[in-house]
Amino acid sequence: MLTLTIGLLRKRPIYVYGFRPPAQVVIGVGSIALITRDLILAASTSPMHFDSQETQIA
């Protein structure tokens, strides 16, 4: 998990998770996912728990 803090007036943490396909990941409402051939990225404003093994994000 990678944690970023963004915002000009009110800083909010953004949690970013990475997975390698063929991981099956359920992304909840309010989360964003980017799916490519080699990587699945999921971002959320609240911490999430997955049953799949995460990949290190550089």
Side-chain angles (χ1 to χ4, degrees), residues 4-52:
L4 307 171
T5 303
I6 64 166
L8 296 174
L9 300 176
R10 187 174 135 206
K11 293 187 183 255
R12 297 182 73 181
I14 300 291
Y15 303 95
V16 181
Y17 303 87
F19 303 94
R20 295 267 180 227
Q24 297 203 5
V25 180
V26 177
I27 305 296
V29 175
S31 301
I32 297 172
L34 171 67
I35 302 170
T36 66
R37 185 181 331 157
D38 301 328
L39 186 65
I40 300 169
L41 291 175
S44 177
T45 56
S46 61
M48 299 185 294
H49 300 284
F50 300 99
D51 293 333
S52 298

